[in-house]
Amino acid sequence: MGRAPCCDKANVKKGPWSPEEDAKLKTYIEKNGTGGNWIALPQKIGLKRCGKSCRLRWLNYLRPNIKHGGFSEEEDNIICSLYISIGSRWSVIATQLPGRTDNDIKNYWNTRLKKKLLGKQRKEQQARRANYVKQEMKREPGIFVVPDQAVGRNPYWAELPAVSVHPNQDPDIKDQASIKKLLIKLGGRFGDDGQQPGSNSINFQYPLDISTAQDGPYETSMNMFASSTSTMNSINSTGSQLPNTHYDVNGSASNVLQGYNSLLNELVYGNPQQLDGSGSFYGIEDIANGSTGTSSAESSSWGDINSLVYPSIISNYGVGQQGPLQDSGFEELRYLGSQ
DNA sequence: AAGCGGCACAACCGCTGTGAC
DNA sequence: TGTCACAGCGGTTGTGCCGCT
């Protein structure tokens, strides 16, 4: 037997709220509060609405100090950074934007921000592609073959302001401090206190590059990338699940992975759907592995994220610097990859 | 002026988490 | 420990507006 419905569907009104309904709800809550029971509230005040609907209306619209529209550049940056760091946890993101609701942010992301980033990314693909070819031709004249995907699909997130991919790079987002605080707070979830020995899960600590902070054992972004890809590998070794699924290897890590992967899907591939492991990464993988062979079944899904991450990170480090492959996270990646 | 498509936003739906019993 | 009820969350859908043809 399923759960009883929260309200009598036949006797509740749906659709847009009238000013009268708004006034009733607002007046009552301002006077009496919600009473901790949204289900009973509409009956108390004579509204033919579902309790959930009342709650949503209050939280998203009637509640005091709600801002609508007019997102600033700074807010854009915060949303992008947090989305990349923690995924589509809109309620968490909303806590960092006073006056904004999760619903608002979600809508804003889906309708504008995502497209804004996509537009910018496409422009930059062209420039990056040309530059990449030039550099590679200079390095190894005559033998370099450019896979389209590897060059043209360099992920945009590498350039988002708050998500520094270089450990020493100064984040230039104004609200970095508050994001840091939030993520430290979330660290209780990101930190894997209950991790079982021998588990494949990765100790996923603080997603943003906040390695300069004094009060915690922060991982660098490099480690973050490595950790996420490692986790992917470990997941991949046991199944063919795709991103946006809750892997219970390390619940918090899956949230982060979700952020990366959905963004990678959407920004890098222009594909808001889940990854189709077959073919999508062909070429990227090759350039990262130094291989020209065809993709094997086992390397066609999760493992390929590695390849995706490498080029852009490396490009951010620049030639001649100590590359990310020296990083312990990547050592771990190699280890897991060899399992 | 009408039809159409795209966009933005509000609201709904269904699932999960959590606390009480 | 299992069940139930509710709150909360994120994904999706519905709807009205606006610009273009």
Side-chain angles (χ1 to χ4, degrees):
Chain A
M1 193 174 94
R3 175 179 296 180
C6 65
C7 52
D8 181 1
K9 302 276 182 197
N11 286 321
V12 294
K13 190 182 163 195
K14 286 186 180 180
W17 281 63
S18 68
E20 291 76 28
E21 287 175 313
D22 280 348
K24 263 189 186 177
L25 183 62
K26 194 165 186 234
T27 306
Y28 181 86
I29 293 178
E30 281 175 351
K31 208 171 167 184
N32 306 296
T34 64
N37 188 345
W38 285 106
I39 302 296
L41 194 140
Q43 287 182 328
K44 279 186 196 167
I45 58 180
L47 277 178
K48 287 192 170 180
R49 289 279 180 176
C50 172
K52 287 174 76 169
S53 179
C54 293
R55 176 185 159 270
L56 221 57
R57 185 65 180 170
W58 170 256
L59 290 177
N60 290 335
Y61 201 81
L62 300 174
R63 188 161 53 107
N65 305 320
I66 293 288
K67 279 193 272 179
H68 289 288
F71 280 79
S72 67
E73 195 73 22
E74 187 184 339
E75 286 175 314
D76 286 1
N77 290 337
I78 293 171
I79 295 168
C80 290
S81 303
L82 286 174
Y83 184 89
I84 290 167
S85 300
I86 62 176
S88 58
R89 294 169 63 193
W90 304 115
S91 59
V92 176
I93 295 173
T95 63
Q96 293 305 293
L97 300 172
R100 302 293 187 188
T101 68
D102 54 354
N103 206 37
D104 245 9
I105 295 168
K106 180 173 60 182
N107 283 333
Y108 182 60
W109 171 264
N110 285 330
T111 58
R112 295 197 210 174
L113 212 43
K114 202 162 71 180
K115 289 169 193 167
K116 189 172 156 188
L117 296 183
L118 269 170
K120 191 173 178 183
Q121 185 229 358
R122 286 203 184 99
K123 273 190 202 168
E124 288 163 354
Q125 279 178 5
Q126 302 302 320
R128 204 177 280 126
R129 181 181 183 139
N131 193 34
Y132 191 93
V133 173
K134 217 163 98 185
Q135 283 184 0
E136 289 299 323
M137 289 298 283
K138 204 186 283 179
R139 203 161 56 88
E140 299 196 63
I143 61 165
F144 180 68
V145 178
V146 186
D148 280 356
Q149 298 93 328
V151 181
R153 292 178 173 179
N154 213 9
Y156 174 72
W157 49 256
E159 298 178 10
L160 288 171
V163 183
S164 162
V165 296
H166 189 294
N168 299 321
Q169 184 179 331
D170 283 332
D172 58 6
I173 188 166
K174 286 178 190 165
D175 201 29
Q176 184 72 11
S178 62
I179 295 173
K180 193 189 292 180
K181 272 188 204 165
L182 169 72
L183 292 168
I184 289 168
K185 207 163 84 183
L186 289 171
R189 299 185 59 183
F190 284 101
D192 188 7
D193 298 338
Q195 187 174 336
Q196 297 302 310
S199 148
N200 274 340
S201 64
I202 306 305
N203 187 12
F204 215 109
Q205 300 215 3
Y206 304 103
L208 282 183
D209 178 12
I210 47 180
S211 54
T212 52
Q214 302 297 309
D215 52 351
Y218 306 117
E219 292 187 335
T220 65
S221 296
M222 291 291 95
N223 276 333
M224 172 180 70
F225 288 127
S227 295
S228 57
T229 51
S230 302
T231 308
M232 291 173 191
N233 278 339
S234 64
I235 292 162
N236 193 39
S237 67
T238 55
S240 58
Q241 294 274 33
L242 293 168
N244 294 332
T245 303
H246 288 282
Y247 304 107
D248 208 17
V249 179
N250 175 339
S252 53
S254 73
N255 284 323
V256 181
L257 296 183
Q258 181 184 336
Y260 278 108
N261 290 315
S262 50
L263 196 67
L264 288 173
N265 272 342
E266 293 167 21
L267 299 187
V268 180
Y269 300 106
N271 173 21
Q273 305 306 313
Q274 293 188 334
L275 285 173
D276 173 2
S278 59
S280 302
F281 292 96
Y282 181 77
I284 306 176
E285 177 190 16
D286 294 340
I287 195 169
N289 293 342
S291 138
T292 53
T294 53
S295 302
S296 65
E298 65 177 2
S299 63
S300 62
S301 52
W302 284 112
D304 300 329
I305 299 283
N306 303 341
S307 319
L308 179 65
V309 170
Y310 279 144
S312 62
I313 291 174
I314 291 168
S315 71
N316 275 277
Y317 264 69
V319 179
Q321 277 184 283
Q322 193 106 146
L325 291 175
Q326 301 297 321
D327 192 283
S328 60
F330 279 83
E331 289 299 325
E332 187 179 12
L333 171 65
R334 284 210 202 101
Y335 171 74
L336 285 169
S338 67
Q339 297 301 292

